[in-house]
Amino acid sequence: MKTRAATRLAWSLWAVNVFLVAVNVLFIVLNRGTSEGDLGGGVPMAAWLANIVLAFATVGALVGSRRAPNQLGWILLAMGLAMALTFAAYGYALYSIFTHPGSLPGALVMAWFTNWFFVPGIGLFLLFFLLFPTGRLPSQRWRPVVWSLAAILSAGTLVAALMPGTLDDFPTISNPFGLTSAAELLGALDRVLFPILGGFALAAGASVVFRYRRAGVEERLQLKWFILASTVFVTNLLVNEVLTAFGINVSRITDIVGPLSMAGVPFAMGIAILKYRLY
């Protein structure tokens, strides 16, 4: 792709992200006070959404527009779009089903969409671990890991989309596309696939360690930016869980620190890629 075309595409995708964030914020305002679902609402959710989605999209657009062959920029843009679309579908469904029932068409489809679209998003996140910071796998031996991950994610997406029963984010609504006749098979796959996906998450983390041990000075500096931001984010999650377990209410702190620490991950990636002249 030529530089000008790549720049236009990258910033066009960024604009779509911004538009979806605006739509999401609108639904957050309209749905304020509606208690159904588990994604919450109000100012904290708007902060999470704006910080995370725009951070991934902005860094992705910067990388994608400056060097089209660099896959990491496009993956970051796709991650931002995946999150924005999921939240938009959730807000749409919440508004049409509970806030103002029947006001918008296709609400059940949107609610169903939120039940499975997160699975490909997990795949993008793990793929980024495997490719960062060079945009290539640590070695050719990691190719089977990528193909196996794609197969597991495809199967996991189908399981999440077709599993009969109530929807995860809307526990009072049954899956409109659930296959009751295949409930036993889908349940068995669910019990097997998602623990395996956890194993792939460990493998993705191991790939960073493997790459670091073989990296030169510049690449190690890039990896250190990523490791630092990831450590801050994970530490924030662990501290929050520990304090909550001891009955200490840290929700107000989490509403501020949580989105900032998560947004720090893509920004650290952008600094590592751009500052240290990866391409």
Side-chain angles (χ1 to χ4, degrees):
M1 186 184 301
K2 294 182 179 180
T3 303
R4 181 175 296 181
T7 299
R8 289 177 178 174
L9 177 59
W11 289 107
S12 295
L13 292 173
W14 178 86
V16 173
N17 270 282
V18 173
F19 172 75
L20 288 172
V21 168
V23 170
N24 281 306
V25 172
L26 174 62
F27 276 123
I28 287 172
V29 173
L30 294 175
N31 291 323
R32 189 164 47 186
T34 303
S35 60
E36 297 292 336
D38 65 358
L39 291 184
V43 175
M45 180 52 64
W48 270 95
L49 183 66
N51 274 281
I52 297 173
V53 174
L54 294 182
F56 278 93
T58 301
V59 176
L62 285 171
V63 175
S65 62
R66 296 193 179 194
R67 186 67 174 180
N70 191 325
Q71 302 176 55
L72 300 179
W74 305 111
I75 293 175
L76 283 172
L77 279 166
M79 289 169 66
L81 279 172
M83 288 185 284
L85 285 170
T86 301
F87 280 115
Y90 174 82
Y92 184 104
L94 186 62
Y95 181 82
S96 185
I97 297 173
F98 297 105
T99 306
H100 289 283
S103 57
L104 297 172
L108 285 178
V109 175
M110 290 297 181
W112 168 75
F113 181 81
T114 66
N115 208 59
W116 60 268
F117 198 66
F118 72 95
V119 181
I122 293 174
L124 288 172
F125 191 69
L126 295 180
L127 182 61
F128 200 100
F129 268 80
L130 291 168
L131 296 177
F132 184 84
T134 63
R136 298 183 298 274
L137 293 171
S139 71
Q140 296 300 318
R141 288 179 293 179
W142 287 85
R143 281 191 173 185
V145 175
V146 174
W147 288 111
S148 300
L149 176 61
I152 293 296
L153 288 168
S154 299
T157 300
L158 287 175
V159 169
L162 302 177
M163 179 73 74
T166 58
L167 300 176
D168 292 338
D169 294 328
F170 296 93
T172 61
I173 299 175
S174 296
N175 186 349
F177 299 102
L179 292 180
T180 306
S181 59
E184 187 174 344
L185 174 62
L186 292 170
L189 288 173
D190 183 55
R191 289 188 293 272
V192 172
L193 290 176
F194 286 95
I196 293 176
L197 188 58
F200 277 102
L202 293 176
S207 73
V208 177
V209 177
F210 178 81
R211 190 189 293 271
Y212 186 85
R213 293 180 61 182
R214 300 181 60 185
V217 175
E218 183 176 310
E219 191 171 323
R220 286 195 174 192
L221 288 174
Q222 294 170 313
L223 289 166
K224 285 179 179 178
W225 276 97
F226 175 67
I227 293 170
L228 174 62
S230 299
T231 301
V232 171
F233 174 64
V234 173
T235 300
N236 171 67
L237 291 180
L238 293 176
V239 170
N240 178 58
E241 290 297 322
V242 171
L243 293 178
T244 302
F246 282 95
I248 302 175
N249 187 356
V250 292
S251 59
R252 292 187 177 181
I253 298 176
T254 303
D255 290 341
I256 298 174
V257 178
L260 291 177
S261 63
M262 181 61 178
V265 175
F267 278 120
M269 295 172 179
I271 291 172
I273 293 171
L274 298 175
K275 181 174 176 58
Y276 292 110
R277 299 189 297 277
L278 172 61
Y279 49 83

